[in-house]
Each structure stands twice: as C-alpha cells, then as structure tokens.
Amino acid sequence: MEFLVDRTDGDTLFRLVLGLVVPRPIGWVSTVSREGVYNLAPFSFFNAVNDEPPVFMISVGDRDDGSLKDTVRNILDTEEFVINLVSEDLFRNMLITAEEFPPEVDEFKKAGLTPEPAKLVKAPRIKEAKAAFECKLFKHEKVYDMHLILGEAKLIRVEEGVADREGRIDYEKLRPVGRLMGSYYLRVLPDRLLKV
Ligand SMILES: Cc1cc2nc3c(=O)[nH]c(=O)nc-3n(C[C@H](O)[C@H](O)[C@H](O)COP(=O)(O)O)c2cc1C
C-alpha cells in the first residue's frame, strides 16, 4: 500500500507517522511561566540530536484555538526548561499532566509530583523522576504548524544507582516508558532486550 502524501488526509497521515515511528521516548517537560507558575507536559516528539554537548528536540503543536501551549510560551519567555524522563512508576502522573489545564494551574500539584529546584535553570525538575536534563533554549524553529524546540543540556541529573560513574544506565532501575500510537505505551523490559 502506498500513500501519496499530497492526496492523503491529515488524520491518516497522523496515524501513519505516529504509528510507524515507534517506540518514541517521552520527554516530560517542566517549565516556569513569567508569573512564576510551574508547568509540566509530556511530548513524544522527543529525541536526542547531539551528545557533546547534549542537545535534545521536542516538537509541539498549537492548541485547537491556535494559541501556544504553555510549554512553548514559557520556553520562549524564559529560554529555559527541564526534560524529565518517564518511568513506569510515574506513568499515571504523566498522563494527568497531558490534560490542558489553564496557564495559572500548577500541574505538579494536579499530578501529585514534587517540584525540586534545578541547579542551573529556573524551571523546576520533577523530584520523583529518575533522570532529568536541565536545558537552555538552543533554537526555536517553525516546521509547518509545529514548534521545533532544541535545548542544550547544561546538567544531567540521574538518580543514585540508575547510572554508574561512566554513565552506563541500569534499565532495571530506570524502567523507561515508550509511546506507540494513541493510548498504547510500552515498557522496556531488560529480559526482552536484544543483545549482540
Ligand atoms: C505521551 C504523550 C505524548 C505527547 N506528545 C506530544 C507531542 O509530541 N507534541 C505535542 O504538541 N503534544 C503532545 N502531547 C500532548 C500534550 O502533552 C498536551 O497538549 C499538553 O496539554 C500540553 O500542555 P501545556 O499546554 O501545559 O504545554 C502528548 C501527550 C501525551 C500523553
């Protein structure tokens, strides 16, 4: 089957793109507004684009009414953010933060999470998250309707025991969650890893 993009409707393209590019990691982005309100939201258009220095991307759409999502507005205003990682134990909390709350609502409170001051940026990190990247805005670019946001990490925080001193990750401890299409997610189970 072939889908000529110019002749394919948006819903079908959406299902194809998100259904085929799997599993996607989830960047759980914390920001702070100019008024000092904390915000939290998950993004599965998330990946690493450079390692030295570490640079990450997220891609964020606008709201249905055309306004900016709080994450984008806060990042453009403050030029700082934290990307936290989602582990299995925080899966339900993450889902709560995907709801569209108004800008004055603190999503840490809504999701029962603890904001912890970051070391190098004003945005807080999620205390309960097993890993977090403290980022400064590197670039903001529009890609059609999406906001491509690149962040350069200045500090990588990993919970004690999850990484060794040389940066090797223990997946049994990290227990990352990945996203498939729609409401499907997956666990990265160490006993199912393909090892060569
Ligand atoms: C697992 C998951 C992944 C998501 N990925 C994206 C994404 O990559 N881009 C996007 O614009 N929205 C994505 N969303 C939806 C946003 O999280 C949602 O619009 C959120 O309310 C934005 O919050 P904000 O206004 O506080 O920034 C995702 C939702 C979930 C649950």
Side-chain angles (χ1 to χ4, degrees), residues 18 24-29 31 38-46 57-63 67-74 86 91 94-103 105 107 146-147 177-180 182 184-185:
L18 279 86
R24 290 183 307 285
I26 301 169
W28 201 5
V29 178
T31 53
Y38 294 157
N39 191 79
L40 206 46
F43 299 96
S44 69
F45 278 168
F46 159 61
M57 55 99 12
I58 56 166
S59 184
V60 186
D62 288 329
R63 293 211 170 110
S67 63
L68 295 179
K69 290 189 182 177
D70 296 334
T71 300
V72 173
R73 209 201 44 246
N74 293 347
V86 182
F91 178 62
M94 180 278 291
L95 289 179
I96 295 171
T97 67
E99 289 171 37
E100 288 200 357
F101 296 107
V105 171
E107 283 163 335
M146 301 295 281
H147 299 266
V177 173
R179 191 173 205 197
L180 301 169
Y184 288 92
Y185 294 83

Side-chain angles (χ1 to χ4, degrees), residues 76-143:
L76 295 181
D77 283 349
T78 63
E79 304 202 338
E80 293 182 340
F81 56 106
V82 178
I83 304 176
N84 307 269
L85 297 186
V86 182
S87 46
E88 285 174 36
D89 55 332
L90 299 176
F91 178 62
R92 304 267 157 213
N93 309 70
M94 180 278 291
L95 289 179
I96 295 171
T97 67
E99 289 171 37
E100 288 200 357
F101 296 107
E104 63 276 12
V105 171
D106 179 337
E107 283 163 335
F108 279 87
K109 286 207 183 100
K110 283 272 168 208
L113 296 161
T114 319
E116 181 177 62
K119 288 263 162 60
L120 300 179
V121 300
K122 284 182 289 295
R125 54 194 193 199
I126 303 172
K127 187 165 192 267
E128 292 82 359
K130 301 200 186 313
F133 305 109
E134 295 187 15
C135 296
K136 302 264 188 193
L137 178 63
F138 178 82
K139 200 179 236 256
H140 165 243
E141 196 81 57
K142 277 306 282 282
V143 177

